[in-house]
């Protein structure tokens, strides 16, 4: 238990330091960024709902963690809040900040997310939308593309089990070869 508390403290300091350097964008700014970022743009018209995280801070020194707060939208209407936490284990050091959006193909996928037991495991597919290069990995193997900037990123995102996820790096420096899982906690809008 002491080790977990120490790792959490190190991760918090690293995440905070990079989080302050790369302050959170507004929800509207983050949504606009993903609407203009290559393949992620088309998911707004063909998804039932999405969860957006303007800034997720991640830090690690051997064991790492990440945390971010977001909102869930159904057909563009804000319906709830969500918190993402992540624990990672492996060879890793540093800190970084990124934005993330998760698209839900249908109501069933959103209901599973809202159930309180939704997790992304090490096999989840996430597409990184960045200037220069993008890459993803998942149950069907790696995928990559190259772009000149955020607005014309060439990615090949697709739904896997009703969910598609995209990230955009905001800053920081982190080297890692690790296994991580993201866990989400959902609260409907207006609930305490």
């Amino acid at each position: 238990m002491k080790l977990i508390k120490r790792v959490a403290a190190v991760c918090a300091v690293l995440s905070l330091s990079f989080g302050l350097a790369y302050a959170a964008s507004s929800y509207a700014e983050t949504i606009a960024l993903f609407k203009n970022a290559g393949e992620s743009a088309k998911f707004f018209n063909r998804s039932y709902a999405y969860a957006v995280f303007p800034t997720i801070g991640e830090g690690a020194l051997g064991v790492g963690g990440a945390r971010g707060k977001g909102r869930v939208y159904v057909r563009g209407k804000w319906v709830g809040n969500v918190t993402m936490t992540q624990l990672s284990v492996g060879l890793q050091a540093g800190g970084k900040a990124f934005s993330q959006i998760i698209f839900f193909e249908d109501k069933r996928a959103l209901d599973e997310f809202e159930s309180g037991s939704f997790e992304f495991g090490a096999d989840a597919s996430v597409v990184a939308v960045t200037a220069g290069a993008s890459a993803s990995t998942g149950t069907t193997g790696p995928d990559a593309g190259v772009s000149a900037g955020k607005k014309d990123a060439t990615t090949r995102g697709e739904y896997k089990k009703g969910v598609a996820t995209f990230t955009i790096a905001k800053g920081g420096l982190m080297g890692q070869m690790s296994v991580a899982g993201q866990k989400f906690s959902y609260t409907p809008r207006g609930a305490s």
Side-chain angles (χ1 to χ4, degrees):
M1 187 55 102
K2 286 184 180 183
L3 176 62
I4 292 173
K5 287 182 181 179
R6 287 182 191 193
V7 169
V10 169
C11 292
V13 169
L14 288 171
S15 293
L16 181 60
S17 65
F18 283 99
L20 292 174
Y22 302 97
S25 303
S26 75
Y27 288 96
E29 290 170 341
T30 304
I31 291 167
L33 189 59
F34 280 106
K35 281 185 174 181
N36 292 302
E39 285 294 307
S40 63
K42 70 182 177 183
F43 281 83
F44 284 93
N45 291 329
R46 60 181 221 193
S47 69
Y48 175 77
Y50 58 88
V52 64
F53 300 85
T55 301
I56 295 176
E58 181 176 5
L61 188 56
V63 176
R67 184 170 173 84
K69 292 191 177 284
R71 290 184 177 171
V72 176
Y73 295 83
V74 175
R75 307 277 189 230
K77 182 181 175 191
W78 174 27
V79 298
N81 300 306
V82 63
T83 301
M84 186 283 298
T85 55
Q86 175 181 301
L87 179 64
S88 56
V89 180
L91 181 59
Q92 55 189 338
K96 65 181 178 181
F98 59 95
S99 297
Q100 180 171 313
I101 193 163
I102 304 168
F103 291 99
F104 304 98
E105 187 173 25
D106 50 31
K107 186 172 181 344
R108 180 211 50 83
L110 178 63
D111 288 346
E112 185 178 335
F113 181 79
E114 293 176 346
S115 72
S117 60
F118 189 85
E119 293 184 37
F120 280 145
D123 63 344
S125 178
V126 178
V127 177
V129 181
T130 61
S134 64
S136 67
T137 186
T139 55
T140 59
D143 192 11
V146 177
S147 70
K150 290 179 182 176
K151 291 189 177 187
D152 61 347
T154 57
T155 59
R156 291 182 223 132
E158 60 186 57
Y159 287 112
K160 297 218 189 306
K161 299 181 183 177
V163 178
T165 303
F166 295 84
T167 64
I168 295 177
K170 295 182 87 169
L173 181 61
M174 187 163 177
Q176 65 186 129
M177 290 191 303
S178 61
V179 175
Q182 292 183 342
K183 183 163 178 63
F184 299 88
S185 174
Y186 173 78
T187 305
R189 187 173 178 191
S192 41

